[in-house]
Amino acid sequence: MQLNEFSYEKAVEAITDGKDTLESFQLIRSEFPDLKTVTLISDPAHLWRSKLMAENLGFDAKISGTQDGQGSLLSNSYFVREVVSTLRYEFKSHFSSQWSLLRSIVL
């Protein structure tokens, strides 16, 4: 099915400048400060962290997991990577002053 079957093409905006998910969301927030609702489409494991990031930036995030392609089949290693990345993001978001201390202990 094509995108235009479900939405108006003008309502879809691709942001390709971010080097990672968080930076992309920050660019969207700065470019569209009044935007309230976003629909996130990604592989199922990545959606958890993506939704947290979007909500922390004030978006009402709706999610839709892909069923095909890279990441759609959840492996143990990919799941662990996403859980660890989510915990890292949450820690850095809420305890940024302690991040260098944690890195020195763990690394």
Side-chain angles (χ1 to χ4, degrees), residues 13-15 17 25-35:
E13 184 80 26
I15 302 294
D17 297 333
F25 285 140
Q26 290 167 334
L27 289 168
I28 293 167
R29 176 48 72 212
S30 66
E31 200 164 317
F32 303 98
D34 298 327
L35 183 64

Side-chain angles (χ1 to χ4, degrees), residues 32 37 48-49 64 85 104 107:
F32 303 98
T37 304
W48 178 38
R49 182 164 41 114
S64 178
S85 295
S104 68
L107 300 178

Side-chain angles (χ1 to χ4, degrees), residues 12-83:
V12 176
E13 184 80 26
I15 302 294
T16 59
D17 297 333
K19 67 177 191 258
D20 57 28
T21 304
L22 181 59
E23 189 174 290
S24 295
F25 285 140
Q26 290 167 334
L27 289 168
I28 293 167
R29 176 48 72 212
S30 66
E31 200 164 317
F32 303 98
D34 298 327
L35 183 64
K36 295 188 182 353
T37 304
V38 295
T39 301
L40 309 176
I41 302 169
S42 186
D43 60 86
H46 186 61
L47 279 175
W48 178 38
R49 182 164 41 114
S50 298
K51 187 171 179 6
L52 283 171
M53 290 176 181
E55 289 174 345
N56 286 345
L57 288 168
F59 293 111
D60 175 21
K62 310 299 182 195
I63 59 173
S64 178
T66 58
Q67 296 177 2
D68 296 320
Q70 188 177 16
S72 61
L73 298 175
L74 190 60
S75 67
N76 287 339
S77 61
Y78 187 57
F79 177 76
V80 168
R81 184 186 82 122
E82 283 298 325
V83 168

